[in-house]
Amino acid sequence: MWVTKMPRKSKSKSKSKKKKMSDDKKTLTDWISGKWIENIRKIRPPKKAKKLKLPENVHVVQELSAQELHKKIHELTRKLTKDILTKGEVNFEIPTRSAGNVIYDEVNDLLLLGNKTFTRSLLSLRSARESAMTMRVLELIHYLIEENIHATKREVYYNDPALFKEQSNSDSIIEDIAALMATPRDSLHVVAAAKGAVIGRLKFKEGGDEIDCTKQGTGGKSITPFIDTITDIESDAEFILIVEKDAAFLRLAEDRFYNKYPSIIVTGKGQPDIATRMFVKKLQRELRLPVLGFVDSDPYGMKILLVYSIGSKRLSYETMFLATPDIKWLGVLPSDLDKYNIPKSARLKMTPADIKTGKLLLKEPFIARRKKWARELSLMVQTKTKAEIQALASHGFRFLTQEYLPQKLETADWI
Amino acid sequence: MWVTKMPRKSKSKSKSKKKKMSDDKKTLTDWISGKWIENIRKIRPPKKAKKLKLPENVHVVQELSAQELHKKIHELTRKLTKDILTKGEVNFEIPTRSAGNVIYDEVNDLLLLGNKTFTRSLLSLRSARESAMTMRVLELIHYLIEENIHATKREVYYNDPALFKEQSNSDSIIEDIAALMATPRDSLHVVAAAKGAVIGRLKFKEGGDEIDCTKQGTGGKSITPFIDTITDIESDAEFILIVEKDAAFLRLAEDRFYNKYPSIIVTGKGQPDIATRMFVKKLQRELRLPVLGFVDSDPYGMKILLVYSIGSKRLSYETMFLATPDIKWLGVLPSDLDKYNIPKSARLKMTPADIKTGKLLLKEPFIARRKKWARELSLMVQTKTKAEIQALASHGFRFLTQEYLPQKLETADWI
């Protein structure tokens, strides 16, 4: 059915295209009525709302190209040099990264930085060391940008361990510079290691190489931490499916589920790292597709969904770039266990720690706001029963791809 | 220089080819004299020795195709059925998996199974449950083979949790059946999850998809746990480089190190999982290339090298399929810290636990046998100093790819 669907126009101001892939194969199957495609399209995120008129003295935090950042660094250094010559002092005015000064506009998916700043003076005894470190990190980032390469936080630290003394010092300075440049950290070419994988109806360029995720065997493509090197995203998928576990990812990959239900399948292999979360966010932002989450039916699985959805609990400058809004919980829902007749022997008793975590989650405003999530979580805590994704194999190895997921999609059974 | 090298003939009885890749680009650089290529070729593993005449009653454990295994399962079940009808009893004769009955022939890289067996009778009260589980697992494996799909151990367990009760029971039966069929576990299509990645001068097919590892951006290709689906391995690389950490892998990938020094770069992202170890072994077996290890200069890094080289300490039926013999320790050698002037501030003090682990390792026969490894490890323990791979960044982000590794290769500075 997906071969006849209407092409969607790509998001404005984006290099990505949602076009027909050249190597499509018709994979119609008799056992799918096609109701799912209506269901999925109903939950497509809206095309981006128009930009609000911003209040004064508020800056939009946005990704910068290497060229833009390079220019900004040079402007800053010119200003600093001029200050030395004319005023005889060098001050950094760095926006504070506290919650009060960072506003997330959920409707427009924008991060705004207020006008609260603090001063770091090279001539003050108190902040001379911080200023020296700031200059040093700025120099290192300038090098990364000029060479067009990337580095981890740890490598930045090791470039001058005698100066930084502890990695936490260079890490903190890196975030300061990100705020100073009003850009997320990865635009500074400073990244973290990644362990996620992707497969499905998706093509993109990565460092110039063309990657076709329909031709990645069963292991999929390793997600690069250099998210800014990913360009020219193309897809004819209808949705993005986040899978908690590698085993389920492999089952979906081996059965080429993504060709029957045109989709992009991502796994963070457990707790997702920063790169995997940025990757999912970038896909959703560029392709404007619904995102469905498929995790174990236990508090840990729910936490993984939350990490993708709202980031870690601490609403920091950094994590706000990583949240993918409006993820739907597809499964395994606690109510699925009865609905799909998962045998008692395949269900697990929750530990006291599980139950405690579940009860704490129920008190979170984010859960309370989503009444259906709260209801399912309550059911889990009340029945003191959890289950892994693999418990679905109690109906056979392919129950997952041939019955469970099709039925979930056909009946819009997500919350 | 590598564009003019002599093509190597592929290993006999292998589908792999070592041929010229069609998309080669000449990447000669002035700062490399080319001595490294002589060095590397000196440590190439010998072409496979001729098979020894095997002693009687010894079976070679070998990979089986789905077709071969399918045939063996049918033969076994026919025999069992016949036994019921003629003898009125059903006995499994299962080779014992104890060290005494499993011999590893290092010269020929062969695993041999002796003629010690134990009997599992369906009619004995003592082993009726084990026999029932054996039949059930055999049935599940038969299904996997017929459908040509793969599953994890956990999924096998969940197919009948009421029967197996604990996953350790189904796991043990799976290993029994592997021994019964004289084949490694992955030939049964039962696999474990994987987190490794590969990049470099390597092409192969994975589940029919053509994978070109020179075109995998910076993240590389995720290694599939379904190693048996990897076929048609081609490479013009001179060596395989195992890298402990993702950060170093990314630096090598971003600088396309593998084009300057034709190589295949693999990372297990820390402690390597079974699939990554099988993948490295398969590459070495098919391509007959030297394998160099690049890990942190600490006891944990050394342990990672050992896991690739000899498997985990327990010499089990399973781990013997995973060992890659004769890995060279390229770096970071404890003596490199002075040789490459790594500043004191980039070196770390070993913890008491580190020192204890180091001393225990020195007592291992495997270390004692490799005198140069023992000497380096002694130096580490004596100086109580360790260092991470990233400490090389104290000479700049690209010191690793532009100076350290080239010099190591040029001077054959591995042990």
Side-chain angles (χ1 to χ4, degrees):
Chain A
M1 58 233 59
W2 59 273
V3 290
T4 58
K5 75 173 202 281
M6 300 288 289
R8 271 204 120 198
K9 275 188 193 159
S10 67
K11 213 193 87 198
S12 58
K13 285 189 185 173
S14 151
K15 281 182 204 159
S16 305
K17 286 170 272 177
K18 284 201 67 181
K19 68 163 202 187
K20 195 79 190 52
M21 289 190 179
S22 56
D23 58 325
D24 290 344
K25 281 179 208 151
K26 223 176 172 181
T27 50
L28 295 176
T29 52
D30 296 333
W31 44 277
I32 292 299
S33 71
K35 182 93 176 73
W36 72 273
I37 212 158
E38 278 174 48
N39 299 334
I40 276 286
R41 288 186 180 176
K42 272 184 204 147
I43 57 165
R44 270 197 181 160
K47 289 182 188 180
K48 214 166 181 182
K50 276 186 188 170
K51 266 190 192 174
L52 291 176
K53 197 160 178 285
L54 296 175
E56 255 176 86
N57 288 325
V58 161
H59 307 278
V60 178
V61 178
Q62 57 194 353
E63 296 199 349
L64 295 175
S65 69
Q67 213 183 350
E68 289 163 338
L69 184 66
H70 190 259
K71 201 178 149 208
K72 273 189 126 174
I73 293 176
H74 276 255
E75 279 167 8
L76 175 68
T77 9
R78 250 196 306 277
K79 183 191 164 296
L80 294 174
T81 321
K82 201 177 143 202
D83 285 354
I84 298 175
L85 295 173
T86 58
K87 299 183 198 166
E89 61 175 26
V90 184
N91 291 339
F92 291 98
E93 290 292 329
I94 300 174
T96 61
R97 288 182 274 112
S98 65
N101 199 41
V102 183
I103 309 121
Y104 178 51
D105 172 356
E106 209 175 333
V107 179
N108 294 280
D109 192 23
L110 283 180
L111 198 68
L112 306 173
L113 205 51
N115 58 356
K116 279 183 219 154
T117 60
F118 68 98
T119 303
R120 188 170 281 165
S121 167
L122 195 59
L123 299 184
S124 133
L125 207 61
R126 208 172 49 86
S127 60
R129 215 179 90 73
E130 269 71 26
S131 298
M133 288 197 287
T134 308
M135 283 308 296
R136 184 76 174 105
V137 172
L138 208 54
E139 183 196 349
L140 292 170
I141 289 168
H142 183 253
Y143 175 83
L144 292 176
I145 299 293
E146 287 221 317
E147 292 286 307
N148 199 23
I149 61 172
H150 298 71
T152 58
K153 283 180 174 178
R154 192 122 188 94
E155 283 173 288
V156 169
Y157 160 72
Y158 268 121
N159 261 265
D160 207 337
L163 172 65
F164 299 127
K165 288 199 168 68
E166 300 276 335
Q167 194 191 325
S168 59
N169 290 328
S170 48
D171 285 359
S172 168
I173 301 281
I174 291 165
E175 287 216 29
D176 284 345
I177 291 178
L180 192 61
M181 299 288 158
T183 199
R185 176 169 55 99
D186 75 302
S187 285
L188 307 181
H189 283 210
V190 180
V191 300
K195 63 178 168 50
V198 60
I199 205 160
R201 302 208 60 86
L202 175 69
K203 285 182 182 175
F204 55 84
K205 281 193 182 169
E206 183 181 314
D209 291 343
E210 276 186 35
I211 311 289
D212 181 348
C213 295
T214 63
K215 292 178 180 165
Q216 291 284 335
T218 45
K221 172 76 181 77
S222 272
I223 294 171
T224 180
F226 310 157
I227 300 292
D228 65 295
T229 66
I230 295 177
T231 56
D232 302 272
I233 299 175
E234 289 177 23
S235 175
D236 60 4
E238 290 287 338
F239 60 97
I240 298 165
L241 183 62
I242 295 173
V243 177
E244 174 180 347
K245 282 178 169 175
D246 204 26
F249 179 90
L250 291 165
R251 165 70 28 249
L252 293 165
E254 188 165 43
D255 288 356
R256 309 241 174 199
F257 180 81
Y258 51 81
N259 281 337
K260 285 184 189 142
Y261 296 88
S263 54
I264 300 165
I265 301 164
V266 175
T267 181
K269 306 194 178 184
Q271 186 76 18
D273 51 54
I274 285 178
T276 305
R277 287 149 67 193
M278 287 186 71
F279 182 72
V280 170
K281 190 183 177 73
K282 182 161 188 160
L283 289 187
Q284 197 215 30
R285 190 189 282 246
E286 304 249 323
L287 299 171
R288 310 302 291 165
L289 290 175
V291 180
L292 307 177
F294 184 45
V295 296
D296 284 349
S297 177
D298 61 23
Y300 187 74
M302 164 132 279
K303 274 192 163 180
I304 284 178
L305 264 194
L306 289 180
V307 166
Y308 280 109
S309 306
I310 55 164
S312 56
K313 206 178 166 186
R314 190 178 61 101
L315 199 64
S316 79
Y317 179 79
E318 176 141 29
T319 56
M320 276 187 276
F321 289 101
L322 310 174
T324 301
D326 203 26
I327 293 179
K328 302 293 180 197
W329 187 9
L330 179 69
V332 178
L333 301 179
S335 63
D336 284 346
L337 304 187
D338 282 348
K339 194 188 282 177
Y340 291 91
N341 292 314
I342 303 303
K344 297 278 182 240
S345 54
R347 306 182 191 189
L348 301 167
K349 210 168 164 277
M350 283 170 85
T351 64
D354 285 335
I355 294 169
K356 195 181 159 196
T357 309
K359 284 183 178 166
L360 283 175
L361 279 172
L362 277 169
K363 288 181 191 155
E364 292 287 339
F366 184 84
I367 299 286
R369 241 173 55 198
R370 323 195 95 194
K371 293 203 167 38
K372 289 178 182 173
W373 289 36
R375 213 175 301 144
E376 287 287 344
L377 188 55
S378 298
L379 177 66
M380 187 199 295
V381 172
Q382 276 160 27
T383 57
K384 292 177 184 163
T385 302
K386 60 181 181 177
E388 298 177 77
I389 291 175
Q390 293 100 314
L392 296 169
S394 53
H395 292 313
F397 293 111
R398 278 177 153 167
F399 178 74
L400 170 65
T401 50
Q402 296 188 341
E403 298 190 40
Y404 178 80
L405 288 179
Q407 191 170 331
K408 296 288 280 186
L409 292 167
E410 283 297 315
T411 57
D413 189 14
W414 53 68
I415 56 178
Chain B
M1 58 233 61
W2 59 273
V3 290
T4 58
K5 75 174 204 280
M6 300 289 288
R8 271 204 120 198
K9 274 188 194 161
S10 67
K11 213 194 87 198
S12 58
K13 284 190 186 173
S14 151
K15 281 180 204 161
S16 304
K17 286 170 271 175
K18 284 199 67 181
K19 68 163 200 186
K20 195 80 188 52
M21 288 189 179
S22 56
D23 57 326
D24 290 345
K25 282 179 208 151
K26 224 176 172 182
T27 50
L28 295 176
T29 52
D30 296 334
W31 44 276
I32 293 300
S33 71
K35 182 94 176 73
W36 72 273
I37 212 159
E38 277 174 48
N39 299 335
I40 276 286
R41 287 186 181 176
K42 272 184 204 148
I43 57 165
R44 270 196 181 160
K47 289 182 188 180
K48 213 166 181 182
K50 275 185 189 171
K51 266 190 192 173
L52 291 176
K53 197 159 178 285
L54 295 175
E56 254 176 88
N57 288 325
V58 162
H59 307 278
V60 178
V61 178
Q62 58 194 353
E63 296 199 350
L64 295 175
S65 69
Q67 212 183 352
E68 288 163 338
L69 184 66
H70 190 259
K71 199 177 149 207
K72 273 189 127 174
I73 293 176
H74 276 255
E75 279 167 8
L76 175 68
T77 10
R78 250 197 306 276
K79 182 190 164 299
L80 293 174
T81 322
K82 200 177 145 201
D83 284 353
I84 298 176
L85 295 173
T86 58
K87 299 183 199 167
E89 61 175 27
V90 185
N91 290 339
F92 291 98
E93 290 292 330
I94 300 173
T96 61
R97 288 182 273 112
S98 65
N101 200 42
V102 183
I103 309 121
Y104 179 51
D105 172 356
E106 210 174 332
V107 179
N108 294 280
D109 192 23
L110 282 180
L111 198 69
L112 306 173
L113 205 51
N115 58 356
K116 278 183 219 154
T117 60
F118 67 99
T119 303
R120 187 171 281 165
S121 167
L122 194 60
L123 299 184
S124 133
L125 206 60
R126 208 171 48 85
S127 60
R129 216 179 90 74
E130 269 71 26
S131 298
M133 289 197 286
T134 308
M135 283 308 295
R136 184 75 174 107
V137 172
L138 208 54
E139 183 196 348
L140 292 170
I141 289 168
H142 183 254
Y143 175 84
L144 291 176
I145 299 293
E146 288 222 318
E147 292 285 308
N148 199 23
I149 61 173
H150 298 71
T152 58
K153 282 180 175 178
R154 192 121 188 95
E155 284 173 287
V156 169
Y157 160 71
Y158 269 120
N159 262 265
D160 207 337
L163 172 66
F164 299 128
K165 289 199 169 67
E166 301 277 334
Q167 195 191 325
S168 59
N169 290 328
S170 48
D171 285 359
S172 167
I173 300 281
I174 291 165
E175 287 215 29
D176 284 345
I177 291 178
L180 192 61
M181 299 289 158
T183 200
R185 176 169 55 98
D186 75 302
S187 285
L188 306 182
H189 283 210
V190 180
V191 299
K195 64 179 168 49
V198 60
I199 205 160
R201 302 208 59 87
L202 175 69
K203 285 182 183 176
F204 55 84
K205 281 193 182 169
E206 182 181 314
D209 291 343
E210 276 186 35
I211 312 288
D212 181 349
C213 295
T214 63
K215 292 178 180 165
Q216 291 284 334
T218 45
K221 171 77 181 78
S222 272
I223 294 172
T224 180
F226 310 157
I227 300 293
D228 66 295
T229 66
I230 295 177
T231 57
D232 303 272
I233 298 175
E234 289 178 22
S235 175
D236 60 5
E238 290 287 340
F239 60 96
I240 298 166
L241 182 62
I242 296 173
V243 177
E244 174 180 347
K245 282 177 169 177
D246 205 25
F249 179 90
L250 291 166
R251 165 71 27 250
L252 293 165
E254 189 165 42
D255 288 356
R256 309 241 174 199
F257 180 81
Y258 50 82
N259 281 337
K260 285 184 189 143
Y261 296 88
S263 54
I264 300 165
I265 300 164
V266 175
T267 181
K269 305 193 178 185
Q271 186 76 18
D273 51 53
I274 284 178
T276 305
R277 287 149 67 193
M278 286 186 70
F279 182 72
V280 170
K281 190 184 176 73
K282 182 161 188 159
L283 289 187
Q284 196 216 30
R285 189 190 282 246
E286 305 250 323
L287 299 171
R288 310 303 291 165
L289 290 175
V291 180
L292 307 177
F294 184 45
V295 296
D296 284 348
S297 177
D298 62 22
Y300 187 75
M302 164 131 280
K303 275 192 163 180
I304 284 178
L305 264 194
L306 289 180
V307 166
Y308 280 109
S309 306
I310 55 164
S312 56
K313 205 177 166 186
R314 190 178 60 101
L315 199 65
S316 80
Y317 179 78
E318 177 142 27
T319 55
M320 276 186 277
F321 289 101
L322 309 174
T324 301
D326 203 26
I327 293 179
K328 302 293 180 197
W329 186 9
L330 180 69
V332 178
L333 301 179
S335 62
D336 284 346
L337 303 187
D338 281 348
K339 193 187 282 177
Y340 291 91
N341 291 314
I342 303 303
K344 297 278 182 239
S345 54
R347 306 182 191 189
L348 301 167
K349 209 168 165 275
M350 284 171 85
T351 65
D354 285 336
I355 294 170
K356 196 181 159 195
T357 309
K359 284 183 178 165
L360 283 175
L361 279 172
L362 277 169
K363 289 182 191 154
E364 292 287 338
F366 184 83
I367 299 285
R369 241 172 55 198
R370 324 195 96 195
K371 292 203 168 37
K372 289 179 182 173
W373 288 36
R375 213 175 300 145
E376 287 287 343
L377 188 55
S378 298
L379 177 66
M380 186 198 297
V381 172
Q382 276 160 27
T383 57
K384 292 178 184 163
T385 302
K386 60 181 181 176
E388 297 177 78
I389 291 175
Q390 293 100 314
L392 297 168
S394 52
H395 292 313
F397 293 111
R398 278 177 154 167
F399 178 74
L400 169 65
T401 50
Q402 296 188 341
E403 298 190 40
Y404 178 80
L405 288 178
Q407 191 170 331
K408 296 288 280 186
L409 293 166
E410 283 297 314
T411 57
D413 188 15
W414 53 69
I415 55 178

